[in-house]
Amino acid sequence: MKQSILYFFVFIMCFGCAEKAKNTETEVENSTINSSENLNESKAEFAIIIHGGAGTILRKNMTPEREAAYKAKLEEAIRVGYDILEKGGSSLDAVQKTINVMEDSPLFNAGKGAVFTNAETNELDASIMDGNTLNAGASAGTTTVRNPIDLARVIMEKSPHVMMAGSGAETYAKEQGLTIVEPSYFYTENRFKSLERVKASEAKKENDAKTAFYDADIKNAKFGTVGCAALDKNGNLAAGTSTGGMTNKRYGRVGDAPIIGAGTYANNNSCAVSSTGWGEYFIRAMVAHDISALMQYKGLSLKEAAQEVIQKKVPELGGNGGIVAVDKNGNMVAEFNTAGMYRATMNDKGELEIGIYKE
Ligand code: ASP
C-alpha cells in the first residue's frame, strides 16, 4: 500500500515536470519565432554607405560637370564594395577597396588629391576597424604610401600594433610590399591653390598663428575626407576612413581620421561609423564611438544616436562635419551639420542613392 502511494506521487511529479518542460519549450519556440520574425522584418542581408567629405558644398558654387564627376566617382567607388558584398565577400574588403577608388581620385581629400600642410607637403592619415573582433589599424602622417587605407589594414592584420606614424609607418609599409610613391605623387594644383588662399587670408589677420589656424576659413572649408561603412552577409560590420587632413595643418597635426573611436569605429553589437569634419572636435567628442555607445548602452536607434552626436554634441562644442554609418540590421544613416556631404548608399536590392547637398 505504502509503495503504491509512493509510485502515485512519483508519477504526479514526473507528469508535472514534463508539462513544465513542454510549456518552456513552447515559450522558447514562440520567442524564437517572434525574434526571427522581427529580424526578417528589418534585417538587410548586406549594406554599404560612403562619404567623400562634408562642408560648405553649395549648389550655387557647383558646375554641372563637376557635380557629374563627383557623382560618377561616388558610384564607381560604392559599386566596387557592393560587388564584393553581393558575392559574399567581407565588409573589411568592401570598405578597403571602395576607399581605394576614392583615394586614387584627385576629387577627394585622400590619397591623390590630399590637401597641403603649411609646409607644402601632404601628410596622410587613415584607419580601419573590424566590428567582429574589435581589431583596428591606423596610420598617421605618411607622405609616401599611395593608399593609406591599405597600410591601416596591414597594421591591423599583420602587426601587433593598432597605430603607426610617420617614417616608421612608411618603413613598415615598404616591408609589407605596399605601393610606395614619391611625395610629389600627391600634388594637385587645386589643393595647392587652396593652401595659397588660406595662407593669404591668414596673413591678413593678426600675427597669431593659433587663432589663424582655427579661423573661419577652416571652419567653412570643404573637408573632403573619404570613408565607408559596410555590413556583410555574415553579419560583420566594418568601417574605414582616409584623409589628407586639413589644409594648412602644421606641427605634425593629426586629425580624427586615424583615431579609433573618433574618425572610425565598428562593433557588431551596434554599428560601423566613418566621420568627416573638423577633426579636433571629432576627437574631443569621440564621435564614432559615442554613436555606437548610445546604441549599445542606451538603446537608441542609429538615427537617434547619430543626430544626438552630430546635431547636438559636436556643434555645441563649436565643431562641424558629419558621419556615415550602418547598423547591424543594415539600416544606413548619413548625418551632417554642414551645407553638404558627398555620400552614397547601396542596399541588398542593389538600389543606389547619391547625395551632395542637404536637401
Ligand atoms: N576630419 C579630417 C581631419 O580633421 C578632415 C576631413 O574630414 O576632411 O583631419
Side-chain angles (χ1 to χ4, degrees):
M1 177 65 188
K2 262 190 196 160
Q3 223 175 16
S4 54
I5 289 173
L6 189 69
Y7 283 151
F8 176 72
F9 276 114
V10 169
F11 171 76
I12 293 290
M13 274 169 67
C14 288
F15 182 76
C17 286
E19 271 302 294
K20 192 161 188 299
K22 214 174 97 191
N23 287 341
T24 317
E25 242 172 61
T26 318
E27 269 163 36
V28 170
E29 242 171 56
N30 282 342
S31 78
T32 312
I33 289 165
N34 286 340
S35 65
S36 63
E37 269 172 7
N38 287 343
L39 286 180
N40 285 341
E41 255 167 36
S42 60
K43 194 163 166 67
E45 248 199 308
F46 63 96
I48 181 163
I49 183 164
I50 62 174
H51 70 77
T56 314
I57 310 165
L58 296 169
R59 204 174 252 115
K60 68 175 169 62
N61 298 335
M62 188 72 90
T63 63
E65 296 74 35
R66 212 167 155 69
E67 189 176 307
Y70 272 106
K71 285 186 171 167
K73 197 47 86 173
L74 287 167
E75 178 168 352
E76 181 190 332
I78 201 165
R79 283 198 183 280
V80 167
Y82 174 87
D83 287 346
I84 291 170
L85 297 171
E86 211 259 325
K87 291 191 182 98
S90 73
S91 49
L92 279 170
D93 283 345
V95 164
Q96 182 186 356
K97 300 296 175 200
T98 297
I99 288 179
N100 283 160
V101 175
M102 294 189 281
E103 284 180 331
D104 291 344
S105 162
L107 291 174
F108 303 102
N109 171 19
K112 177 92 187 163
V115 298
F116 281 86
T117 67
N118 180 267
E120 303 184 354
T121 57
N122 307 96
E123 296 179 6
L124 288 76
D125 303 332
S127 65
I128 195 163
M129 184 158 183
D130 178 354
N132 184 32
T133 58
L134 300 189
N135 202 359
S139 67
T142 59
T143 58
T144 59
V145 181
R146 187 176 116 165
N147 293 102
I149 196 72
D150 294 356
L151 176 54
R153 178 111 188 237
V154 296
I155 290 170
M156 173 173 83
E157 288 178 348
K158 306 221 165 108
S159 90
H161 306 303
V162 168
M163 187 184 233
M164 295 184 192
S167 59
E170 286 169 347
T171 303
Y172 187 67
K174 253 185 246 164
E175 277 176 23
Q176 291 297 318
L178 300 187
T179 307
I180 304 298
V181 291
E182 287 299 316
S184 59
Y185 163 82
F186 297 107
Y187 176 91
T188 55
E189 204 189 331
N190 254 345
R191 298 297 187 197
F192 196 73
K193 281 189 176 152
S194 297
L195 175 69
E196 287 178 331
R197 274 199 301 274
V198 172
K199 279 188 169 180
S201 99
E202 183 182 281
K204 272 197 233 126
K205 296 188 178 117
E206 281 179 74
N207 193 18
D208 178 345
K210 192 159 188 275
T211 311
F213 181 70
Y214 294 106
D215 72 9
D217 292 329
I218 297 292
K219 186 163 180 173
N220 292 325
K222 178 179 76 59
F223 297 118
T225 290
V226 307
C228 178
L231 169 73
D232 65 29
K233 288 184 177 176
N234 290 320
N236 290 323
L237 287 164
T241 311
S242 182
T243 189
M246 288 175 80
T247 303
N248 202 30
K249 67 183 182 181
R250 52 185 127 189
Y251 315 121
R253 179 265 189 190
V254 174
D256 60 313
I259 310 286
I260 297 301
T264 299
Y265 195 73
N267 183 332
N268 275 7
N269 294 315
S270 52
C271 61
V273 184
S274 170
S275 309
T276 172
W278 195 346
E280 279 67 17
Y281 291 92
F282 276 61
I283 295 172
R284 290 168 57 199
M286 270 287 123
V287 165
H289 180 264
D290 232 41
I291 292 171
S292 164
L294 284 169
M295 292 181 72
Q296 203 179 351
Y297 305 135
K298 244 184 151 185
L300 266 60
S301 70
L302 177 61
K303 182 78 188 162
E304 289 165 343
Q307 281 180 338
E308 180 68 29
V309 178
I310 295 300
Q311 306 302 352
K312 281 196 204 148
K313 189 174 182 183
V314 170
E316 275 166 18
L317 285 172
N320 60 348
I323 58 100
V324 295
V326 55
D327 73 14
K328 58 183 179 178
N329 293 324
N331 298 303
M332 293 181 276
V333 162
E335 193 69 40
F336 52 100
N337 57 34
T338 48
M341 180 166 79
Y342 297 107
R343 59 199 186 274
T345 61
M346 276 188 93
N347 62 19
D348 57 0
K349 292 175 195 69
E351 291 160 341
L352 168 73
E353 275 180 36
I354 300 180
I356 297 180
Y357 316 103
K358 200 154 235 164
E359 309 308 336

